Amino acid sequence: MWDTNRHKIEEFLLEANSFHPTIKFTAEISETETTFLDTIVYKGERFLKESILDVRTHFKPTETFQYTNYYSCHPPGITKGFIKGEALRLLRTNSSQLNFEENIRNFAVCFKNRGYPTATVKKHLSEVEFSERKTALKNKNITAQKKIVPFVTQYPPEILMGKWHLIQNQPQLRNIFKEPPLLAYRKGKSLKDILVKAKL
């Protein structure tokens, strides 16, 4: 049965690859694992005992892990958000604690290669633990969030937020401004934008 199906797949690929010289189809055949979206579903230790399939994170062969450089102009919240977000993805796509911890270690090395301080990466990754996997797999009820008007500026947000402590050190200002503002960066006009105007 297996040989018959394999033969049919090979025939299909041979015919499909004859349609166009620059488009090529491939197929991976395995009795123990298969790729589904960003996971690999495979027969692990649990399959022999409980007939339960395991999953681990799938990385494409072309993945180079070129994460945003640490010194690029992004608010600190963005850095924390995507580090923790990627860690949560690894948590959800690994049913084995060993695979999860190995991926987290590799993840930290990739960040180090992109200039991220070890202490910063360690701090954000420590917020995601394998013991929280069941909770991470559940759908969260989205509650209504309060509306916040963003403060749009042409200056890097880090410059303004770097002075936030001056407001917090003043008792009256601290009572008025209880939460930091939501900053949004907008690119300013360049000399070319000012001097050159296109008319259609």
Side-chain angles (χ1 to χ4, degrees):
M1 183 68 177
W2 173 256
D3 291 335
T4 303
N5 290 335
R6 187 185 186 94
H7 183 67
K8 288 181 179 178
I9 293 173
E10 289 174 351
E11 285 183 348
F12 170 78
L13 289 175
L14 186 63
E15 183 179 351
N17 287 331
S18 64
F19 289 140
H20 198 278
T22 61
I23 300 176
K24 299 297 179 184
F25 296 91
T26 60
E28 295 181 3
I29 303 172
S30 174
E31 294 184 11
T32 58
E33 63 181 37
T34 186
T35 302
F36 179 73
L37 299 178
D38 61 344
T39 63
I40 295 176
V41 184
Y42 68 99
K43 296 178 181 178
E45 295 180 2
R46 295 194 303 172
F47 186 79
L48 298 175
K49 300 176 182 177
E50 308 170 58
S51 297
I52 299 176
L53 293 170
D54 284 300
V55 293
R56 66 176 182 268
T57 310
H58 169 64
F59 298 102
K60 293 182 179 179
T62 54
E63 176 63 77
T64 57
F65 304 101
Q66 296 297 308
Y67 299 112
T68 304
N69 191 282
Y70 180 74
Y71 297 102
S72 63
C73 183
H74 286 85
I78 298 295
T79 300
K80 176 184 177 181
F82 89 86
I83 291 177
K84 188 174 180 180
E86 183 68 7
L88 284 171
R89 184 179 82 91
L90 296 175
L91 178 64
R92 294 187 183 106
T93 56
N94 283 284
S95 57
S96 165
Q97 185 172 355
L98 292 176
N99 287 340
F100 168 71
E101 292 174 351
E102 180 183 356
N103 281 323
I104 286 292
R105 285 193 296 270
N106 294 337
F107 188 39
V109 171
C110 292
F111 274 115
K112 184 179 179 181
N113 294 338
R114 297 294 290 167
Y116 284 74
T118 304
T120 301
V121 175
K122 188 176 181 180
K123 176 185 175 183
H124 297 325
L125 291 182
S126 65
E127 298 177 11
V128 180
E129 297 180 356
F130 190 78
S131 58
E132 302 171 353
R133 187 170 187 270
K134 288 185 178 180
T135 305
L137 292 172
K138 293 180 180 178
N139 290 328
K140 293 184 179 179
N141 295 326
I142 301 175
T143 56
Q145 297 180 349
K146 57 183 177 180
K147 294 182 179 180
I148 301 176
V149 179
F151 176 64
V152 182
T153 174
Q154 294 182 3
Y155 299 96
E158 292 82 1
I159 295 176
L160 297 177
M161 290 309 297
K163 305 299 181 183
W164 178 248
H165 67 278
L166 298 176
I167 294 176
Q168 293 297 292
N169 290 338
Q170 299 294 324
Q172 291 182 341
L173 291 177
R174 187 167 62 242
N175 289 333
I176 297 172
F177 303 103
K178 296 181 180 180
E179 296 181 7
L182 177 64
L183 300 178
Y185 174 74
R186 178 178 61 195
K187 181 182 177 182
K189 287 186 177 181
S190 66
L191 186 60
K192 177 183 176 182
D193 296 331
I194 297 172
L195 297 177
V196 180
K197 292 184 178 180
K199 292 183 179 180
L200 300 178

